[in-house]
């Protein structure tokens, strides 16, 4: 989410599953869709079989995806920035980028202000004491046409990209500090030889792929990049993804059918969860959570919304930020939110510290938390360094688990080796319904919201999660009414406009999310009608329009039963199947699918095009003003969500550098060949160090092998350990061991082995395999071990030492605090 928002303006898969069939080339990194997303994988196979598209799979393992790929690159986990960086360098050195697209649709020509520097692994603006950068040091140089106030120039770094410090940005692509020239210089170090030293991909094989990629800068060609958490779960995850995004901008592949950056989400509704603010740092619709010191809406908008950096930029999000926020506050606080009281802005929390999920367990370890509620997740299994998480849970006074089944968190107090007498935590297990026992919607990876029906009635005492939360809220509010308390207004004034406030229906909540015009009482059809005067509501502005007065559009199912009628463009948009945000648009940034004059780059695969006779854009729902004539010299730039109006090759909206740079994982078998003195990212958040706890990172001498974790087709995380048929298919925990390493260690297929890290151990069966093999990394032979994640001490088949995350490090990346699940050091021995 962070990478894509920082580059394009929105944090979501840019195209959609069905669209992948339009690609000429597919780069698949950090993903194994044939096994982990087998339904969506059909569209990759269609591209391959029906278009003759090439599939390149870069992965440490040879999987079922690799088996049908044209090229499998055995890559060292966590080194993808070097791979993409090498491709960027190849494209630039050989002048294979899409020049017209880059000049018009990216920030290549903007000049970065004086003082920018990258030297010996560090960007300018680094503070070694706090281990943080000041992203304000990466601003553009001002053209000087629009002076800003002193207050504006001192604002804190923005979530969606700062404008220049003193006006519109200076535009001069030939300037030595233009984004384009800085980009050339930055990636000139990523030669094929350097790519081989870092990734382990042989130079000749890399160049074979680079030649294919280089062809994708032609207007009649298009490439897609497909990835999953194999890129995300690193201390450099944001930059791993952004490096692919930069490559796609250079090739002119963003906004186009068959192109894009396509994130495969880990569950059926992860995209929906993110949209509705499951992450602590955002409110619904990716509005920033307010910060301390923001006294009113003016402060909040000033410090949160992106600023217009070029005269032709629409800056849609930044311009309308206040409208979206006021409409959200009206949805939450109803009549209690008035212009006089800043629409109850002061009711919102303004957290001073990080509250991401590792931080929660860190606070519990430090004894700073009393209680925790877990819903739809099991901290013990999914948290990094499970032994520390178990310790953290045992420090709580109370723990509430809402789940359909017992989990390793609800049962943590009787985990193997744990003495319940030493646990002070009171645990409450509240049986909750499974998704199959309720209606509601899923939003898939491609942003399509699809309504589903209840299939089975709830069993026993199980209740819906939102009913449990609603009743808890009512009981807490009653306590405040009877007994008072500090600042009760946020609870007493919260609006609960449901027929039964303790049993809200999901249909009612969907309508609330959509929003209304309070003057007419009618549900809105578009977020363009949202106001900042208190006359509209929207629980999540990006979903406004999915439930207008005509009904719940997520229920629509006009699909392949009538392709001619339901998909008149033949591009697979199927606008009357479900509903996709925003405004039922199927491909984000689709204005960039056509040239500046409004003609599709590839007429055979048009996203949208300008119909001069009709005076409007036609095709997909345009990501652009629908009647903006591209022949107008003042026509807006194509990326309407950024302050620049362009995609960002250079971005100051991330915490670890404006250009993606290769850094080693926190635990690595080698020093960084590019800058060994700054080998790992200097801004990863080291929880144990920050809290004064002993170091829990292993060294390459003690733990010489790289490990990575992943999922299997037969299981969905941990819940399927309750499903007998799936347990029969994959009954027991195991690790995959390269055959050559197994031979060195005397390990045979099926042997019991102990895999250990600085933090814990697994004792499981070994699967000796050719799917993994040795790599030569900077002259050193490096082995990688594969660890499926699905087992623990709860379920039908259990083991004492089967928690995969007992091995993983307690560390987070700089921007999102994402754990490093995919690259860490272990040892292995035969038992």
């Amino acid at each position: 989410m962070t990478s894509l928002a920082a580059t394009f303006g929105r944090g979501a898969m840019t195209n959609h599953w069905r669209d992948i069939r339009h690609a000429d080339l597919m780069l698949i990194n950090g993903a194994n869709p044939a096994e982990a997303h087998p339904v969506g994988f059909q569209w990759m196979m269609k591209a391959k079989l029906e278009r003759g598209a090439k599939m390149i799979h870069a992965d440490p393992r040879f999987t079922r995806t690799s088996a049908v790929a044209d090229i499998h690159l055995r890559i060292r986990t966590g080194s993808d920035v070097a791979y993409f960086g090498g491709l960027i360098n190849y494209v630039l050195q050989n002048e294979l980028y899409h020049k017209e697209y880059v000049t018009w649709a990216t920030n290549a020509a903007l000049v970065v202000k004086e003082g920018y520097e990258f030297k010996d692994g560090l960007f300018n603006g680094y503070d070694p004491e706090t281990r943080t950068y000041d992203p304000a040091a990466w601003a553009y140089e001002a053209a000087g046409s629009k002076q800003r106030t002193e207050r504006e120039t001192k604002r804190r770094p923005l979530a969606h990209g700062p404008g220049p410090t003193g006006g519109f940005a200076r535009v001069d692509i030939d300037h030595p500090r233009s984004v384009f020239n800085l980009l050339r210089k930055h990636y000139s170090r990523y030669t094929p030889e350097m790519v081989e030293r870092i990734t382990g991909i042989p130079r000749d094989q890399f160049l074979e792929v680079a030649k294919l990629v280089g062809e994708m800068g032609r207007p009649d060609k298009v490439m897609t990049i497909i990835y999953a958490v194999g890129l995300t779960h690193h201390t450099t995850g944001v930059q791993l993804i952004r490096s692919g995004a930069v490559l796609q901008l250079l090739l002119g592949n963003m906004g186009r059918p068959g192109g894009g950056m396509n994130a495969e989400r880990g569950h059926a509704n992860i995209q929906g969860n993110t949209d509705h603010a499951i992450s602590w740092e955002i409110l619904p619709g990716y509005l920033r959570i307010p910060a301390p010191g923001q006294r009113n809406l003016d402060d909040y908008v000033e410090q949160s919304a992106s600023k217009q950096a070029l005269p032709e930029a629409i800056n849609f999000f930044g311009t309308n930020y206040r409208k979206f926020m006021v409409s959200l506050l009206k949805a939450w606080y109803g009549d209690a939110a008035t212009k006089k009281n800043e629409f109850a802005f002061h009711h919102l929390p303004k957290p001073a510290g990080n509250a991401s999920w590792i931080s929660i367990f860190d606070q519990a370890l430090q004894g700073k938390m009393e209680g925790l509620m877990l819903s739809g997740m099991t901290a013990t299994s999914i948290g990094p360094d499970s032994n520390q998480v178990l310790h953290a849970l045992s420090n709580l006074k109370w723990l509430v688990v809402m789940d359909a089944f017992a989990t390793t968190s609800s049962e943590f107090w009787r985990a193997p080796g744990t003495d319940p007498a030493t646990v002070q935590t009171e645990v409450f297990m509240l049986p909750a319904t499974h998704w199959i026992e309720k209606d509601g919607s899923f939003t898939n990876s491609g942003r399509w919201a699809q309504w589903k029906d209840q299939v089975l009635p709830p069993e026993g005492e199980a209740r819906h999660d939102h009913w449990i939360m609603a009743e808890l809220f009512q009981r807490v509010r009653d306590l405040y009414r009877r007994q008072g308390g500090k600042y009760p207004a946020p609870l007493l004034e919260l609006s609960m406009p449901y027929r039964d406030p303790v049993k809200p229906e999901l249909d009612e909540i969907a309508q609330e999310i959509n929003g209304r015009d309070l003057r007419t009482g009618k549900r809105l059809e578009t977020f363009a009608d949202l106001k900042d005067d208190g006359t509209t509501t929207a629980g999540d502005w990006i979903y406004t329009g999915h439930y207008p007065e005509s009904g719940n559009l997520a229920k629509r199912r006009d699909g392949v039963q009538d392709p001619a009628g339901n998909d008149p463009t033949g591009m697979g948009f199927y606008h009357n199947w479900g509903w996709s945000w925003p405004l039922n648009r199927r491909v984000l940034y689709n204005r960039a699918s056509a040239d500046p004059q409004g003609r599709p780059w590839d007429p055979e695969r048009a996203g949208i095009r300008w119909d001069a006779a009709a005076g409007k854009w036609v095709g997909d729902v345009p990501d652009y003003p629908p009647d903006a004539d591209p022949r107008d010299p003042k026509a807006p730039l194509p990326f309407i969500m950024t302050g620049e109006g362009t995609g960002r090759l250079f971005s100051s909206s991330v915490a670890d550098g404006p250009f993606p740079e290769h850094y080693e994982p926190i635990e690595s078998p080698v020093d960084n060949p590019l800058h060994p003195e700054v080998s790992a990212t200097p801004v990863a958040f080291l929880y144990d160090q920050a809290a004064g706890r002993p170091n829990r990172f292993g060294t390459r001498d003690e733990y010489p092998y790289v490990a990575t974790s992943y999922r299997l087709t037969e299981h969905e995380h941990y819940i399927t350990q309750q499903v007998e048929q799936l347990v029969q298919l994959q009954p027991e925990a195991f690790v995959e061991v390269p055959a050559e390493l197994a031979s060195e260690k005397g390990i045979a297929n099926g042997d019991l082995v102990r895999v250990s890290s600085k933090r814990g151990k697994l004792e499981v069966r070994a699967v000796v395999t050719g799917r993994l093999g040795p790599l030569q990394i900077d002259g050193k032979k490096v082995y990688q071990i594969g660890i499926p994640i699905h087992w623990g001490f709860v379920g039908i088949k259990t083991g004492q030492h089967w928690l995969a995350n007992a091995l993983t490090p307690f560390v987070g990346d700089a921007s999102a605090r994402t754990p490093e699940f995919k690259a860490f050091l272990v040892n292995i021995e035969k038992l």
Side-chain angles (χ1 to χ4, degrees):
M1 183 188 80
T2 304
S3 301
L4 300 184
T7 309
F8 309 118
R10 303 183 183 97
M13 183 180 194
T14 60
N15 294 44
H16 58 94
W17 286 106
R18 179 178 285 271
D19 178 76
I20 293 172
R21 70 192 172 106
H22 297 302
D24 294 310
L25 181 63
M26 297 170 280
L27 298 189
I28 304 174
N29 282 60
N32 176 19
E35 297 181 48
H37 295 83
V39 177
F41 191 63
Q42 67 179 298
W43 303 108
M44 297 167 222
M45 291 305 298
K46 280 184 175 292
K48 181 177 172 62
L49 298 175
E50 297 177 4
R51 287 193 63 81
K54 300 290 186 184
M55 182 186 296
I56 312 297
H57 188 216
D59 198 279
R61 296 180 298 144
F62 186 89
T63 67
R64 291 180 177 89
T65 303
S66 316
V68 296
D70 295 276
I71 300 175
H72 170 239
L73 301 173
R74 177 160 285 149
I75 188 172
R76 179 166 63 106
T77 179
S79 64
D80 302 69
V81 168
Y83 168 63
F84 286 125
L87 293 173
I88 291 169
N89 186 42
Y90 181 89
V91 166
L92 291 172
Q93 293 291 331
N94 293 283
E95 302 290 322
L96 296 171
Y97 58 97
H98 189 160
K99 294 181 178 60
E100 187 175 5
Y101 185 104
V102 167
T103 304
W104 169 64
T106 78
N107 62 349
L110 273 64
V111 177
V112 176
K113 76 174 184 180
E114 193 170 359
Y116 169 80
E117 183 180 51
F118 178 76
K119 185 178 180 182
D120 298 331
L122 290 173
F123 294 94
N124 61 312
Y126 183 66
D127 182 342
E129 290 190 9
T130 61
R131 288 178 54 86
T132 59
Y133 283 111
D134 176 10
W138 308 324
Y140 301 119
E141 185 166 292
S145 61
K146 177 185 174 186
Q147 297 303 315
R148 292 175 182 273
T149 66
E150 181 180 357
R151 179 184 173 198
E152 285 174 325
T153 61
K154 290 182 177 178
R155 69 183 183 273
R156 68 175 183 159
L158 301 176
H160 305 288
T165 55
F168 291 135
R170 181 179 178 184
V171 179
D172 180 1
I173 199 167
D174 296 322
H175 191 282
R177 290 197 313 279
S178 74
V179 165
F180 193 65
N181 283 326
L182 293 178
L183 182 81
R184 276 188 184 275
K185 181 181 178 183
H186 190 86
Y187 288 104
S188 63
R189 299 166 297 134
Y190 289 75
T191 62
E193 292 75 19
M194 183 59 74
V195 172
E196 180 175 350
R197 288 176 64 186
I198 295 173
T199 67
I201 299 171
R203 179 180 181 277
D204 291 347
Q205 197 181 24
F206 169 76
L207 287 172
E208 181 185 3
V209 172
K211 184 178 179 182
L212 292 171
V213 170
E215 295 176 5
M216 298 299 123
R218 291 166 35 190
D220 63 339
K221 295 286 187 181
V222 66
M223 176 180 84
T224 185
I225 292 180
I226 300 156
Y227 68 94
V229 293
L231 292 193
T232 310
H233 288 167
H234 294 276
T235 48
T236 54
V238 168
Q239 300 292 20
L240 291 173
I241 297 164
R242 230 185 80 71
S243 59
V246 169
L247 175 64
Q248 285 290 68
L249 281 173
L250 285 174
L251 294 169
N253 286 330
M254 295 307 303
R256 297 182 55 188
M261 287 294 292
N262 292 308
E264 301 175 327
R265 309 306 299 261
H267 291 286
N269 199 32
I270 284 291
Q271 185 62 53
N273 285 343
T274 314
D275 298 341
H276 297 307
I278 198 170
S279 295
W280 74 276
E281 75 276 23
I282 55 173
L283 299 171
Y286 302 98
L287 297 165
R288 293 187 82 182
I289 193 82
Q294 293 174 350
R295 297 162 300 172
N296 50 43
L297 281 167
D298 286 345
D299 286 351
Y300 170 74
V301 174
E302 170 58 33
Q303 296 175 21
S304 303
S306 57
K307 302 297 185 291
Q308 185 183 11
L310 291 173
E312 300 83 9
I314 289 180
N315 189 31
F316 183 83
F317 195 22
T319 302
N320 293 285
Y321 215 86
R322 188 184 185 97
K323 297 175 183 176
F324 303 150
M325 184 62 169
V326 170
S327 296
L328 175 65
L329 290 167
K330 286 296 293 183
W332 282 354
Y333 292 106
D335 293 339
T338 65
K339 186 176 182 180
K340 188 176 180 180
N341 70 1
E342 291 281 321
F343 298 103
F345 172 76
H346 46 285
H347 287 359
L348 298 182
K350 300 169 183 62
N354 186 283
S356 63
W357 56 309
I358 308 181
S359 300
I360 290 171
F361 305 129
D362 178 64
Q363 292 292 298
L365 281 168
Q366 297 183 53
K368 296 180 180 179
M369 284 187 63
E370 291 198 2
L372 179 64
M373 296 183 67
L374 299 175
S375 175
M377 62 95 81
T378 175
T380 308
S381 293
I382 72 169
D385 196 347
S386 301
N387 290 319
Q388 283 227 114
V389 173
L390 284 166
H391 186 196
L393 296 181
S394 69
N395 278 357
L396 300 169
K397 287 185 178 178
W398 53 266
L399 171 67
V400 176
V401 177
M402 295 185 290
D403 216 300
F405 298 96
T407 70
T408 51
S409 295
S410 68
E411 307 303 306
F412 88 92
W413 50 279
R414 49 185 177 188
T418 299
D419 178 3
T422 66
V423 176
Q424 67 168 4
T425 313
E426 188 174 8
V427 179
F428 301 89
M429 177 68 191
L430 303 182
T433 49
H434 188 268
W435 60 261
I436 205 167
E437 296 171 325
K438 53 191 171 190
D439 62 354
S441 66
F442 284 135
T443 300
N444 68 15
S445 299
R447 300 167 286 101
W448 291 28
Q450 298 172 89
W451 197 264
K452 63 181 178 59
D453 296 320
Q454 179 190 42
V455 177
L456 299 172
E459 293 187 355
E461 298 179 297
R463 303 180 67 185
H464 301 321
D465 301 64
H466 60 289
W467 288 7
I468 295 172
M469 294 298 292
E471 183 154 353
L472 279 173
F473 169 75
Q474 294 292 347
R475 292 190 183 197
V476 171
R477 178 148 74 176
D478 286 346
L479 286 172
Y480 271 89
R481 282 177 175 147
R482 293 199 304 270
Q483 301 175 9
K486 289 184 179 179
Y487 197 25
L491 285 95
L492 299 183
E493 295 180 356
L494 191 70
S495 175
M496 297 285 279
Y498 313 117
R499 285 186 291 271
D500 184 345
V502 297
K503 292 182 178 179
E505 296 297 327
L506 292 173
D507 185 82
E508 294 177 292
I509 294 174
Q511 295 182 46
E512 183 181 31
I513 288 170
N514 183 87
R516 296 177 184 276
D517 184 328
L518 295 173
R519 296 166 299 185
T520 65
K522 304 291 186 183
R523 292 191 297 275
L524 296 165
E525 295 189 356
T526 169
F527 47 67
D529 292 333
L530 292 173
K531 310 290 185 187
D532 60 4
D533 60 2
T535 59
T536 58
T537 70
D540 189 336
W541 70 273
I542 62 174
Y543 280 79
T544 299
H546 91 285
Y547 204 145
E549 286 295 307
S550 59
N552 186 346
L553 303 185
K555 290 184 175 180
R556 296 182 298 185
R557 292 296 183 270
D558 295 338
V560 296
Q561 66 271 35
D562 180 12
N566 297 331
D567 184 30
T569 66
M571 292 301 295
F573 296 142
Y574 286 98
H575 287 117
N576 289 320
W577 179 286
W579 185 91
S580 61
W581 71 262
L583 296 179
N584 207 25
R585 187 172 295 139
R586 301 297 159 130
V587 177
L588 296 178
Y589 321 111
N590 56 31
R591 172 62 185 92
S593 69
D595 68 14
Q597 292 73 43
R599 301 166 300 199
W601 295 111
D602 180 359
E604 300 297 318
R605 286 172 285 189
I608 61 171
R609 62 180 177 83
W610 175 249
D611 184 334
K616 64 179 182 180
W617 292 89
V618 297
D620 192 6
V621 176
D623 201 355
Y624 202 63
D627 57 354
D629 189 336
R631 298 166 298 184
D632 185 338
K634 296 181 180 179
L637 287 164
F639 285 79
I640 65 171
M641 293 293 283
T642 66
E644 299 91 330
T646 65
R648 294 177 179 138
L649 301 168
F650 177 97
S651 177
S652 56
S653 294
V654 292
D656 44 2
F659 290 127
E661 172 68 6
H662 168 71
Y663 293 101
E664 290 295 319
I666 292 297
E667 292 182 336
S668 174
V670 296
D671 289 330
N672 191 328
L674 288 164
H675 29 74
E677 297 303 316
V678 185
S679 189
T681 172
V683 289
F685 194 81
L686 311 177
Y687 280 94
D688 291 325
Q689 177 177 304
R693 295 188 294 266
N695 171 36
R696 290 168 70 84
F697 297 129
T699 67
R700 65 190 63 153
D701 294 332
E702 297 174 284
Y703 304 98
Y705 310 115
V706 176
T708 190
S709 62
Y710 48 88
R711 292 184 289 172
L712 303 173
T713 306
E714 294 81 3
H715 284 296
E716 185 199 9
H717 277 215
Y718 307 94
I719 193 170
T720 49
Q721 290 301 330
Q722 308 287 348
V723 182
E724 184 177 351
Q725 293 87 343
L726 296 178
V727 171
Q728 288 173 351
L729 290 173
Q730 284 287 2
E732 184 176 337
F734 63 91
V735 295
E736 291 192 77
V737 185
E740 191 173 328
L741 175 61
S743 177
E744 291 178 14
K745 292 282 188 177
I747 297 170
N749 203 33
D751 280 349
L752 273 175
V753 295
R754 177 181 297 125
V755 182
S756 57
S757 75
K758 182 75 171 179
R759 298 157 292 276
K761 64 183 178 182
L762 299 181
E763 292 178 356
V764 294
R765 301 283 176 189
V767 172
V768 178
T769 178
R771 293 179 9 131
L772 288 159
L775 290 170
Q776 286 294 322
I777 305 298
D778 205 17
K780 178 181 179 180
K781 182 185 285 188
V782 171
Y783 288 108
Q784 302 180 100
I785 294 173
I787 303 175
I789 63 170
H790 303 288
W791 290 274
F793 53 82
V794 171
I796 295 172
K797 191 76 181 292
T798 62
Q800 183 174 357
H801 297 296
W802 284 9
L803 276 174
N805 279 322
L807 304 177
T808 53
F810 205 74
V811 60
D813 87 281
S815 292
R817 300 283 178 93
T818 299
E820 192 148 64
F821 289 139
K822 303 302 182 187
F824 51 94
L825 293 181
V826 299
N827 195 8
I828 186 169
E829 56 191 317
K830 181 179 177 180
L831 293 177

